[in-house]
Amino acid sequence: MFDRQHRHIHYLRLSLTSACQMRCTYCRPTVLHKDCHTPLTAADFQQVVERLVSVHGVRKVRLTGGDPTTRPDLISIIEHIAAIKGIDDLAMTTHGLTLASHARAYAAAGLHRVNVSLDTLDSEQFARITGVDAMQRVIDGIDEAIDAGLTPLKINTVVLRDSNEDQLADLVAFAASRSVGIRFIELMPMGPLADQWAKRYISADRMKSLLTENIVDTWEALPQGSDSAQVYQASLRDGSQEDIGFITPMSCHFCDACNRLRLTSDGAIYPCLMDQPRGSFLPALTPEFDGERFDELLEQALAYKAPEHPAQGVGIMTTIGG
Ligand code: SAM
């Protein structure tokens, strides 16, 4: 499918829930009302994804949230979606708390790979940022996910001023030790947390400078793929080379190349992460799935996909899914 800017939309991000065991200071407002809707079921997600894949050409699907692993029916959701023919990439973004015990079950259900959030390798700092004293559990989860074949695995690190900017070199070394990707993410001003943005934001250029001060000699930009990250091959002072990615929604947005459509667990359609929802698929999720109605709702929502994201996000990250 194409939007009005002729962008090819083929990447669906499904937020399975707003619930998350972590309370990351930059992601989740301290007061967050519980989901008061009945969330879409595994069968609902399957119908939506089936239509988007078979009729509208979606090829990539990512499960996110909240944390998708808080859904008790996650295995069933993965199985329902994995059964759909035509998906090239079925991935999940998670905090990693359940991977040590469940990575094999996710892989067996049909999940291809995971991205895991890890903002620091300092366990006290980890507890301060996330509200959970569980850094080692996440690291064990990353190792188990690699063993279970949920690869290529990528680590996502949101970089915050006066917080984890001292961690970048260690995180690069950690990723290299496991041969996994790492992407440093610029903070986005989202919903009620937007007023903290100016004092916590660090640009990717500043992150690169910090790495240059510590471990990197030279940077060579690699051709940008369909991923939102700008990846560099960095030559390190110890003679090794590592790929380091930066996701730059604020300093250099990649809206021209946006290929995404988002759906939340209440059926709302978000053509843009930072915009408001533009309709809902619920009217099409009747006992007899209404494909024609679904296509109309999709067309109406896509008409609102703006050329560029707004300066500030309207919604809450943990609801829409980053
Ligand atoms: N709970 C899962 C996790 O921890 O990865 C998935 C949901 S989380 C919203 C997805 C990603 O969004 C994480 O990598 C998180 O660090 C990132 N994120 C959250 N708030 C953000 C913000 N304000 N700006 C940029 N990235 C953010």
Side-chain angles (χ1 to χ4, degrees):
M1 77 189 109
F2 290 85
D3 71 0
R4 292 193 172 171
Q5 272 60 244
H6 311 290
R7 291 173 294 198
H8 184 199
I9 311 299
H10 55 92
Y11 181 6
L12 174 67
R13 295 175 74 111
L14 294 175
S15 174
L16 303 187
T17 174
S18 307
C20 184
Q21 295 92 337
M22 289 192 178
R23 297 281 174 273
C24 298
T25 52
Y26 57 85
C27 179
R28 193 179 186 84
T30 39
V31 178
L32 182 69
H33 299 295
K34 278 187 127 182
D35 291 345
C36 51
H37 58 271
T38 308
L40 299 192
T41 63
D44 293 330
F45 283 121
Q46 186 180 34
Q47 285 181 318
V48 168
V49 179
E50 169 83 51
R51 185 81 184 177
L52 286 168
V53 170
S54 63
V55 177
H56 300 287
V58 162
R59 292 290 171 263
K60 271 179 86 167
V61 178
R62 175 172 298 279
L63 311 180
T64 179
D67 207 86
T69 63
T70 62
R71 287 278 305 228
D73 56 349
L74 175 60
I75 295 287
S76 171
I77 294 174
I78 296 172
E79 285 171 346
H80 275 75
I81 296 175
I84 297 166
K85 298 266 175 305
I87 298 177
D88 300 332
D89 187 19
L90 176 55
M92 177 167 80
T93 302
T94 175
H95 52 34
L97 289 178
T98 66
L99 290 174
S101 50
H102 287 70
R104 276 166 211 283
Y106 301 150
L111 189 69
H112 298 168
R113 63 191 181 93
V114 286
N115 286 3
V116 184
S117 296
L118 180 64
D119 294 333
T120 175
L121 291 167
D122 171 331
S123 58
E124 286 177 16
Q125 192 178 67
F126 183 98
R128 276 198 300 279
I129 294 174
T130 65
V132 182
D133 186 5
M135 189 191 77
Q136 191 55 49
R137 196 160 134 204
V138 173
I139 291 174
D140 292 345
I142 290 171
D143 289 336
E144 186 63 20
I146 295 167
D147 277 357
L150 291 173
T151 54
L153 184 151
K154 290 178 195 156
I155 292 171
N156 286 338
T157 302
V158 176
V159 185
L160 306 166
R161 186 183 303 160
D162 298 330
S163 177
N164 62 342
E165 73 270 59
D166 61 335
Q167 293 292 307
L168 307 196
D170 286 353
L171 283 161
V172 168
F174 174 85
S177 71
R178 268 94 176 154
S179 302
V180 299
I182 183 150
R183 293 114 53 90
F184 295 113
I185 304 174
E186 290 179 348
L187 182 69
M188 298 165 72
M190 294 294 291
L193 294 175
D195 59 355
Q196 301 179 6
W197 178 80
K199 59 176 188 294
R200 307 192 79 187
Y201 168 77
I202 295 186
S203 69
D205 279 351
R206 175 72 187 136
M207 299 175 206
K208 281 176 70 188
S209 303
L210 289 167
L211 284 163
T212 302
E213 280 165 24
N214 286 298
I215 52 167
V216 175
D217 266 340
T218 59
W219 299 90
E220 188 189 330
L222 298 176
Q224 196 149 3
S226 62
D227 193 8
S228 48
Q230 172 63 63
V231 181
Y232 293 83
Q233 187 176 69
S235 299
L236 307 194
R237 289 213 240 300
D238 66 5
S240 62
Q241 293 198 317
E242 300 301 340
D243 288 355
I244 304 176
F246 297 89
I247 300 186
T248 59
M250 304 314 295
S251 67
C252 180
H253 69 74
F254 34 86
C255 301
D256 281 355
C258 185
N259 54 15
R260 297 166 183 200
L261 178 74
R262 295 165 192 272
L263 174 67
T264 49
S265 58
D266 57 356
I269 313 167
Y270 286 80
C272 169
L273 172 61
M274 294 181 81
D275 199 358
Q276 56 184 294
R278 300 295 187 170
S280 163
F281 283 134
L282 288 186
L285 294 174
T286 47
E288 302 287 310
F289 177 75
D290 187 342
E292 276 181 31
R293 184 87 182 98
F294 180 94
D295 296 349
E296 284 166 15
L297 296 165
L298 176 64
E299 194 181 330
Q300 285 162 17
L302 264 191
Y304 286 100
K305 191 168 169 74
E308 285 183 14
H309 67 66
Q312 184 172 320
V314 180
I316 297 174
M317 195 63 119
T318 193
T319 301
I320 312 167

